[in-house]
């Protein structure tokens, strides 16, 4: 399905955690996504840190048509177009780039841009953005910083990413404006490279059990 902004935010609220995935081989996305879906997490943020990102998105869209696919670490207009053409449901960026936001809005493609300060938040609000990624979350002040920012910006929906783990996940999710957190500890590149699906399964179950 093509998500509207409202549908996307509702879906993220249901999921609560988004696996942030960096791949070396595109085909690894298939067993990885099977592991996530079969253990209660039908979502994947495939980051453009990897040269095979768009290939992996296309492969995942073909094999798992119902999974929510985010294209992450999107920095260029070319990557936005690649992500849309290969089947991504939304774009996630590390920072706030007005040109990228405008392109996504023109393409009717939901975007969750990265912010970590009032200036970036105001730029986002100016363009009609109400859902943002708070990045890098822990390094930018974590839970306390988010609570402080929500004083003046209580209209925001937030997806903290960066430094999230099993120990602090519930602290972030306890904040009403936090719709979901991005995390990579349970889909680490080393585990994917080693094709250690059993360990990824165990870690995913641990996360899903915690949030449910």
């Amino acid at each position: 399905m093509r998500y509207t902004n409202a549908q996307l935010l509702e879906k993220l609220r249901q999921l609560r955690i988004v696996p942030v995935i960096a791949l070396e081989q595109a085909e690894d996305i298939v067993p990885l996504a099977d592991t996530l879906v079969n253990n209660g997490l039908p979502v994947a943020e495939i980051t453009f840190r990897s040269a095979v990102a768009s290939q992996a998105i296309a492969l995942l869209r073909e094999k798992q048509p119902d999974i929510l696919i985010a294209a992450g670490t999107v920095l260029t207009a070319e990557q936005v177009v690649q992500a849309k053409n290969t089947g991504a449901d939304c774009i996630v960026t590390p920072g706030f780039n007005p040109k990228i936001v405008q392109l996504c809005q023109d393409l009717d493609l939901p975007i969750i841009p990265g912010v970590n300060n009032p200036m970036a938040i105001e730029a986002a609000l100016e363009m009609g953005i109400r859902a943002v990624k708070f990045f890098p979350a822990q390094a930018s002040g974590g839970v306390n910083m988010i609570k402080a920012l929500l004083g003046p910006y209580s209209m925001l929906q937030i997806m903290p990413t960066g430094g999230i783990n099993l120990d602090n996940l519930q602290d972030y999710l306890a904040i009403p404006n936090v719709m979901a957190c991005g995390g990579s500890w349970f889909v680490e590149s080393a585990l994917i490279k080693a094709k250690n699906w059993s360990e990824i399964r165990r870690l995913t179950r641990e996360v899903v059990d915690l949030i449910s």
Side-chain angles (χ1 to χ4, degrees), residues 74-129:
V74 172
L75 302 176
T76 68
E78 182 187 19
Q79 288 171 340
V80 170
V81 173
Q82 280 179 355
K84 181 178 170 70
N85 289 345
T86 49
D89 294 302
C90 66
I91 300 294
V92 182
T93 61
F96 185 82
N97 181 331
K99 290 181 179 176
I100 297 296
V101 171
Q102 187 62 61
L103 175 58
C104 288
Q105 290 175 335
D106 291 345
L107 292 172
D108 206 21
L109 184 61
I111 179 170
I112 303 174
V115 303
N116 75 343
N117 62 74
M119 191 180 294
I121 290 171
E122 301 231 351
L125 292 173
E126 184 70 20
M127 295 189 73
I129 297 289

Side-chain angles (χ1 to χ4, degrees), residues 6-73:
Q7 288 168 335
L8 176 67
L9 302 193
E10 180 56 37
K11 185 69 175 173
L12 288 170
R13 278 211 170 270
Q14 291 168 12
L15 293 163
R16 303 300 271 156
I17 184 84
V18 176
V20 180
I21 298 161
L23 296 160
E24 288 186 18
Q25 296 179 296
E27 56 270 22
D28 282 341
I29 195 60
V30 178
L32 174 58
D34 287 347
T35 303
L36 293 170
V37 170
N38 292 338
N39 290 280
L41 207 53
V43 56
E45 179 182 323
I46 298 173
T47 68
F48 271 82
R49 290 179 185 181
S50 149
V52 301
S54 58
Q55 193 185 340
I57 292 169
L59 200 53
L60 181 54
R61 180 51 73 214
E62 179 195 342
K63 302 291 184 186
Q64 291 272 8
D66 297 328
I67 197 170
L68 173 63
I69 305 176
T73 322

